[in-house]
Amino acid sequence: MPTNARTIDAHCHVWPGAIGTAAAPREPADYSIETHLARLAELGIEATVLVPHIAYDGRDLSYLHACAARYPGRCAVMGAITGAEIADPHRIDADIAQGVRAFRIRAADMGVPLDALCEHLAQAGGVLCPLVTRAQARAGALQAIGPLAERHPALRIVLDHFGGDHSSPDLAQLARRANILLKVSDFGAFDLPPYDAARVATVAMCALFGAQRLMWGSNLPVFALDARQDLGAAWHAIRDAQALSDAERAAILGGTAATVFFPH
């Protein structure tokens, strides 16, 4: 990998040791930005994308914005979309004014027309980031993404966690749309160290999407709730992957995320 390439964790959650604004109790109770950046620093990872945990904090981005202000250039804040924002896309304008470019949406909220939201996001240069679970992917949830991308070619769509199912045949269809990108993240959802299956899946996704549309993410601290998982092994599974070229590793481990989440 080129020594001057920026390295980025494209998917993490952070929160302070306080009660969340939603009903679900946080697990772990405390996972601060300082804890996360320290873990990344051990591997030489320079920046991270802060993803709201909707079940814990709803659309409250206050802590994430505080982290970005405290560590400028090292943290990008992602927003969240729920039914209210789908009904009135202008509700996300305040987030956009604060520099938020990408917005997470759960597949469970995508069963209604999204065209007005997508057009609004596209006009703002925004990014839509669907969260699809494995069960939802296997029930066909990914099949709605392609037509959405086709109708809104100016909108970039970034799928979390291999689109929910790294083995889904629907991913090959989605890869045909140039505006669909993929996070190769949360290896622990289907693999254990040394993450041979996750590395093989990443190489396969690289063949489908191209490295310029892939980005690695840790999914900490959720990833580490399983004590068998190992962040360093998950990083080096791609950092040292001989089946990928230097340029491909550089894109997946930071280059792609830099263009999507850190454009300036």
Side-chain angles (χ1 to χ4, degrees):
M1 193 168 81
T3 57
N4 63 344
R6 192 177 193 202
T7 49
I8 298 172
D9 172 9
H11 196 105
C12 80
H13 307 282
V14 294
W15 46 77
I19 298 173
T21 56
R26 293 174 172 139
E27 189 179 7
D30 184 3
Y31 190 72
S32 70
I33 185 61
E34 285 76 20
T35 298
H36 185 64
L37 291 179
R39 296 190 73 175
L40 297 186
E42 293 175 358
L43 297 170
I45 304 173
E46 301 162 306
T48 192
V49 178
L50 307 179
V51 180
H53 198 303
I54 299 173
Y56 291 171
D57 292 304
R59 295 194 70 254
D60 182 2
L61 305 179
S62 56
Y63 181 67
L64 306 189
H65 281 304
C67 295
R70 196 179 310 157
Y71 300 101
R74 298 182 66 189
C75 300
V77 176
M78 184 184 292
I81 288 171
T82 63
E85 293 70 46
I86 295 171
D88 180 9
H90 288 282
R91 289 173 63 95
I92 67 173
D93 289 350
D95 295 327
I96 293 171
Q98 287 187 274
V100 175
R101 296 175 55 83
F103 291 82
R104 174 174 243 200
I105 184 171
R106 295 178 293 189
D109 293 323
M110 295 179 68
V112 297
L114 298 175
D115 292 291
L117 171 69
C118 290
E119 185 61 26
H120 190 70
L121 262 179
Q123 291 178 359
V127 181
L128 186 68
C129 301
L131 170 64
V132 180
T133 67
R134 178 174 294 187
Q136 290 165 339
R138 292 183 174 178
L142 291 174
Q143 294 170 13
I145 305 295
L148 196 67
E150 183 177 13
R151 292 196 303 274
H152 301 279
L155 176 67
R156 284 186 291 185
I157 297 175
V158 178
L159 296 171
D160 285 345
H161 309 327
F162 289 92
D165 181 4
H166 70 286
S167 62
S168 172
D170 293 326
L171 291 172
Q173 297 296 322
L174 296 179
R176 298 178 181 178
R177 301 292 174 194
N179 56 328
I180 296 180
L181 297 83
L182 187 72
K183 289 184 185 178
V184 290
S185 52
D186 195 18
F187 287 3
F190 63 93
D191 202 5
L192 291 168
Y195 303 109
D196 292 334
R199 181 174 58 252
V200 169
T202 299
V203 172
M205 292 303 103
C206 190
L208 287 174
F209 287 83
Q212 299 302 321
R213 290 196 282 147
L214 298 184
M215 57 192 89
W216 179 91
S218 70
N219 198 34
L220 282 169
V222 178
F223 169 79
L225 292 176
D226 180 347
R228 299 172 298 172
Q229 306 299 338
D230 185 293
L231 179 64
W235 175 254
H236 283 284
I238 307 306
R239 175 68 176 78
D240 301 334
Q242 295 302 306
L244 299 170
S245 70
D246 285 352
E248 288 170 335
R249 291 195 296 270
I252 295 168
L253 296 177
T256 303
T259 64
V260 174
F261 299 111
F262 296 87
H264 304 300

